[in-house]
Amino acid sequence: MTAYRNFKLVGYVIYGRGAFSQLDEILAPRRQGEAPVVFLVDHFFQDQSAFLSRIPVRGRDRLLFADVTHEPKTSQVDALRDQIRAELGEVSGVVGIGGGSTMDLAKAVSLMLTNPGSSADYQGWDLVKQPGVYKVAVPTLSGTGAEVSRTTVLTGPTRKLGLNSDFTPFDQIVLDPELIANVPATQRFYTGMDCYIHCIESLQGSFLNAFSRSYGEKALELCREIFVRKEGWDGDSDEKLMMASYAGGMSIAYSQVGVAHAVSYGLSYLLGTRHGIGNCIVFNHLEEFYPEGVAEFHRMLAIHRIELPRGVTRGLSDAQMETMVNVSIGMAPLWQNALGPDWQQQMTRDRLRALFARL
Ligand code: NAD
Ligand code: ZN
């Protein structure tokens, strides 16, 4: 008999223009006595006083800026956890306000406030044993699906790997399309393409089922509407992108990503390439795996006048190439989804190294 996965979803979802204004009332019943709420806010908002003044900071609550110059590291999560414990003691919850990096930091900090040791000890599948503190996400960039996923991607001392667990999804997400209205077009494209690539990898993967297909097809349709068919960008596009990100995340929740993600993890681990742009750099060269998706991606690059970096692996040493191959080939579930059960025969180390060399 097939053993189906029984997966945990986000607890509550609020969606709509201006929904962010309801955060105060959403948090009120979750406050435990005097225990403060920690707002972890993307450092992008550091000097945006109009936005900051809308964050419902009450009593002993603390607003901390998340430095997302680089994608989240286990050491950064551990340091934030230590700081919160030392300065605030018990907290009522953690609210992450920002892009995928800030949302992942918020998830990981919530988990590490109740689980002993370093976040690096929990990189993997189902290693987290205790629920974290109450956690909320407010995305200000859409595409990663981090708002719905059961993982938080961290770079640790030996690998880049998520804390995948049933305790990882948020208790609450606040989806307010107004918050993504002013994202610069290039950043919007890279993070939006993360969603597009999630859809292609999920829909063409061997793990696909009707659940994943339903969400994946809808998310792909929304991506096409806003990135291919529609001219210009408006509030309607923000609404669609926010829902595409959600649906794309739901699609991979019950399937898996594929080749672009497996390869881009290698790039990111060695070179620190950010997730969105890294996926684009890789996907650009994946005609042999996803011919139609890559052709459409090339059209979107042209429409949005995006010039991708080239030659990013030029000049790397053999040892560095080996490191990338190791990180990438270690993502077994992704390869299995993309290429099927005999993926190891198809994706040899030599073939993978040649692919890295083309980037
Ligand atoms: P990001 O969070 O890394 O942010 C990219 C840049 O955009 C940063 O400089 C940030 O300060 C800035 N920014 C944030 N909000 C902005 C706004 N409203 N306007 C202008 N700039 C803004 O980017 P991302 O693409 O959303 O997230 C990538 C991260 O998400 C990676 O760390 C990746 O590993 C992670 N990720 C997680 C999952 C998951 O399921 N947990 C899935 C995919 C990616
Ligand atoms: Zn992704």
Side-chain angles (χ1 to χ4, degrees):
M1 238 175 53
T2 310
Y4 296 106
R5 278 184 46 218
N6 183 15
F7 69 87
K8 173 74 177 64
L9 296 176
V10 162
Y12 288 83
V13 182
I14 182 169
Y15 171 85
R17 299 197 150 269
F20 182 55
S21 300
Q22 284 173 247
L23 183 58
D24 199 15
E25 66 189 72
I26 288 169
L27 295 178
R30 304 292 179 159
R31 293 181 178 278
Q32 294 161 13
E34 298 293 299
V37 170
V38 176
F39 296 93
L40 198 56
V41 181
D42 195 306
H43 67 172
F44 170 78
F45 295 101
Q46 220 147 5
D47 8 273
Q48 307 219 2
S49 53
F51 179 72
L52 296 177
S53 69
R54 295 182 63 202
I55 299 175
V57 180
R58 307 274 171 252
R60 294 176 55 236
D61 289 357
R62 183 69 62 86
L63 195 155
L64 297 175
F65 288 106
D67 181 349
V68 293
T69 313
H70 305 288
E71 294 188 344
K73 295 191 174 58
T74 53
S75 55
Q76 188 182 8
V77 170
D78 296 351
L80 276 164
R81 182 263 322 267
D82 294 344
Q83 181 188 354
I84 291 167
R85 271 205 188 137
E87 296 178 9
L88 300 173
E90 297 275 305
V91 301
S92 291
V94 177
V95 180
I97 303 176
S101 295
T102 305
M103 290 191 270
D104 275 1
L105 276 174
K107 286 188 202 183
V109 167
S110 156
L111 294 173
M112 294 317 298
L113 282 164
T114 53
N115 287 275
S118 164
S119 49
D121 305 337
Y122 300 94
Q123 286 182 284
W125 279 271
D126 302 306
L127 302 174
V128 179
K129 300 298 177 205
Q130 301 290 334
V133 303
Y134 176 70
K135 53 185 171 323
V136 180
V138 184
T140 66
L141 280 179
S142 286
T144 63
E147 63 277 22
V148 290
S149 76
R150 82 190 284 279
T151 189
T152 157
V153 185
L154 300 178
T155 302
T158 55
R159 61 205 149 173
K160 180 176 180 188
L161 185 60
L163 278 49
N164 297 264
S165 85
D166 281 350
F167 301 117
T168 309
F170 285 107
D171 298 297
Q172 168 82 56
I173 58 176
V174 177
L175 303 180
D176 181 347
E178 284 180 358
L179 302 185
I180 62 167
N182 299 315
V183 178
T186 309
Q187 181 66 56
R188 186 171 65 209
F189 184 85
Y190 290 142
T191 303
M193 285 303 112
D194 190 22
C195 176
Y196 179 83
I197 295 168
H198 290 161
C199 295
I200 301 294
E201 292 186 328
S202 171
L203 290 168
Q204 309 225 342
S206 63
F207 294 176
L208 188 66
N209 54 34
F211 185 103
S212 288
R213 185 195 298 279
S214 309
Y215 283 105
E217 286 179 348
K218 186 65 204 177
L220 185 59
E221 172 57 26
L222 289 167
C223 286
R224 286 182 172 146
E225 257 176 66
I226 55 184
F227 286 110
V228 183
R229 292 201 285 273
K230 190 165 159 176
E231 274 185 39
W233 196 271
D234 58 15
D236 171 68
S237 320
D238 292 326
E239 292 179 8
K240 287 179 173 150
L241 180 56
M242 193 159 251
M243 287 318 300
S245 176
Y246 179 92
M250 288 295 288
S251 179
I252 49 177
Y254 219 156
S255 61
Q256 195 32 286
V257 286
V259 179
H261 278 75
V263 176
S264 110
Y265 267 71
L267 270 191
S268 160
Y269 183 81
L270 187 80
L271 304 174
T273 315
R274 297 184 86 93
H275 187 79
I277 191 171
N279 282 345
C280 287
I281 292 170
V282 177
F283 195 68
N284 197 27
H285 293 274
L286 297 186
E287 293 91 343
E288 58 193 303
F289 302 101
Y290 308 112
E292 290 159 13
V294 174
E296 185 166 60
F297 175 71
H298 290 157
R299 283 208 297 285
M300 291 188 281
L301 283 174
I303 293 169
H304 296 273
R305 296 192 181 85
I306 301 287
E307 285 279 344
L308 287 176
R310 288 181 177 272
V312 294
T313 58
R314 209 172 286 147
L316 292 181
S317 68
D318 283 349
Q320 287 174 312
M321 293 297 268
E322 279 297 293
T323 300
M324 290 195 297
V325 169
N326 288 338
V327 170
S328 178
I329 214 123
M331 313 297 295
L334 283 63
W335 291 111
Q336 199 185 337
N337 178 47
L339 306 175
D342 68 339
W343 67 269
Q344 278 157 314
Q345 276 84 58
Q346 295 184 56
M347 187 43 71
T348 59
R349 295 179 69 88
D350 286 346
R351 187 176 179 197
L352 182 53
R353 193 194 320 254
L355 175 52
F356 273 114
R358 282 205 294 281
L359 308 176

